Amino acid sequence: MSERKVHDVIIECVQGDIADQPDMDGIINAANAELRTGGGVAGAIHRAAGPGLEEECRPLAPIRPGQAVITGAHNLPNRFVIHCLGPVYGKDHPSDSLLASCYREALGLAETHGLDSVASPAISTGVFGYPMEEAAQVAFRTITEEAPGLSAVRRIRFVLFSEKDRRLHARVLNELTGQDEA
Ligand code: ADP
């Protein structure tokens, strides 16, 4: 595990499953526009949450790239799920500002709902094809920009599926915050 502090907000990178983060107030879903279950992150979250999550999501769909919406967490061990639709790389333009918008809107919702801690997967880096390093740069740059305005959110955890992806995120975070590699 590696962590950095930016304006009183701890940012950490761990290897693991986004649907198994019981110490976090909220988790972010790399959702599809219809807010339905699917593969990857959305599948893992909906499976763990149970059918009530899709039911709660139905009236909120569809969402557009860059948008985030918040629901309860049902059978997940968290209080909230924040669903973000990331851009499909090479199709939804401009990809970087749409991806930044996901994290900005997600943090805005976390803040207005008083979440102390939020865990996020690497949005758009799976079937949506966003190159992992570029996506990590956008994610951490956006969080660094937003951090001074956060008063509820105190911990943001990036949950990466593989150790290789965790190391990449830790390196990009260190480069952006100007600190030594963890
Ligand atoms: P998107 O459609 O936004 O690309 P995906 O769910 O396909 O979303 O993948 C996003 C990232 O999350 C990928 O890097 C993928 O390897 C990773 N991932 C897939 N399942 C999980 C999980 N259960 N926990 C954390 N990360 C996951």
Side-chain angles (χ1 to χ4, degrees):
M1 205 237 266
S2 52
E3 63 177 51
R4 292 288 175 256
K5 201 165 191 183
V6 178
H7 289 281
D8 287 336
V9 180
I10 293 169
I11 306 174
E12 55 187 39
C13 302
V14 306
Q15 187 267 321
D17 179 354
I18 190 68
D20 184 22
Q21 303 297 321
D23 58 331
M24 293 273 123
D25 263 359
I27 60 171
I28 292 178
N29 181 15
N32 46 63
E34 298 303 323
L35 302 175
R36 308 275 311 259
T37 187
V41 166
I45 287 178
H46 279 276
R47 263 194 310 278
L53 182 61
E54 262 196 353
E55 235 163 81
E56 187 183 353
C57 281
R58 204 166 298 134
L60 304 174
I63 62 170
R64 53 181 162 67
Q67 190 184 355
V69 294
I70 190 165
T71 66
H74 299 264
N75 297 336
L76 283 157
N78 315 98
R79 290 171 56 213
F80 294 99
V81 178
I82 299 172
H83 309 260
C84 296
L85 179 60
V88 176
Y89 194 72
K91 177 174 166 282
D92 297 319
H93 300 289
S95 291
D96 55 350
S97 49
L98 290 171
L99 185 59
S101 168
C102 284
Y103 289 108
R104 202 178 310 112
E105 289 204 8
L107 288 175
L109 287 170
E111 191 65 20
T112 52
H113 287 74
L115 276 66
D116 167 77
S117 51
V118 188
S120 181
I123 298 171
S124 282
T125 64
V127 292
F128 284 3
Y130 213 117
M132 188 72 71
E133 178 149 1
E134 283 177 46
Q137 283 166 350
V138 172
F140 292 137
R141 209 177 296 130
T142 307
I143 290 169
T144 303
E145 285 165 10
E146 297 299 308
L150 299 175
S151 55
V153 177
R154 280 292 157 260
R155 182 179 293 270
I156 301 170
R157 174 181 297 165
F158 268 75
V159 181
L160 293 317
F161 219 25
S162 72
E163 176 57 19
K164 178 169 165 275
D165 293 343
R166 188 205 67 80
R167 292 177 75 90
L168 182 149
H169 277 76
R171 175 173 59 75
V172 171
L173 177 60
N174 294 334
E175 285 166 3
L176 279 177
T177 56
Q179 298 174 54
D180 290 339
E181 190 156 335

